[in-house]
Amino acid sequence: SKCENNIKQELVNSGIQKFQIDLASQRVRVTSNLQTDDLKAIIEKTGKVAVLVGMGGSPIEGSSVPRSMAAAVAMLGRDGDFFTPGTQGVIRFNQIDRTRCVIEGTLDGLTPGEHGLA
């Protein structure tokens, strides 16, 4: 399909050789050392919205220390449904050692004004 070819071309042009595209589930699985924001930007060049839902724990180059101990993803959406139109977001948790966890995320579709998370 045109969509699949566009995504494949952007990934290959960016030097990414290891990936799988599953049109039925609308998912692309990529193995890369790129930063999450860079990978997201590559896929979004095709006009599609990219939601990164995980990251690996491969060793840091030249070391046996894992890049992360564990990772988790929280997908946020209206009434708890990420796929319903409206406010959506993804928060990623990446445990990098026993005492530190990197938390990053995006939230789209909020109306202007103050908001909070509980």
Side-chain angles (χ1 to χ4, degrees):
S1 78
K2 183 178 179 182
C3 175
E4 183 176 5
N5 289 336
N6 289 345
I7 292 172
K8 181 178 181 178
Q9 190 64 45
E10 286 297 334
L11 292 170
V12 170
N13 287 348
S14 299
I16 298 170
Q17 300 298 319
K18 194 170 181 181
F19 59 88
Q20 297 171 324
I21 300 172
D22 182 351
L23 287 178
S25 67
Q26 298 183 10
R27 292 178 188 245
V28 178
R29 173 175 259 169
V30 176
T31 301
S32 172
N33 291 326
L34 292 175
Q35 296 292 319
T36 56
D37 289 340
D38 295 336
L39 186 55
K40 186 176 188 299
I42 289 166
I43 293 173
E44 289 186 342
K45 284 182 191 177
T46 67
K48 300 296 180 187
V49 175
V51 177
L52 304 180
V53 295
M55 56 181 74
S58 60
I60 297 171
E61 190 173 322
S63 170
S64 63
V65 176
R67 211 176 281 281
S68 66
M69 296 179 70
V73 175
M75 297 178 74
L76 310 172
R78 184 176 180 173
D79 298 326
D81 181 3
F82 177 78
F83 298 101
T84 299
T87 303
Q88 300 177 316
V90 175
I91 299 175
R92 289 176 291 282
F93 302 85
N94 190 17
Q95 181 96 28
I96 57 175
D97 63 29
R98 292 190 183 278
T99 61
R100 297 181 297 162
C101 181
V102 175
I103 302 170
E104 63 176 340
T106 60
L107 193 57
D108 298 315
L110 290 175
T111 57
E114 294 185 13
H115 300 278
L117 295 173

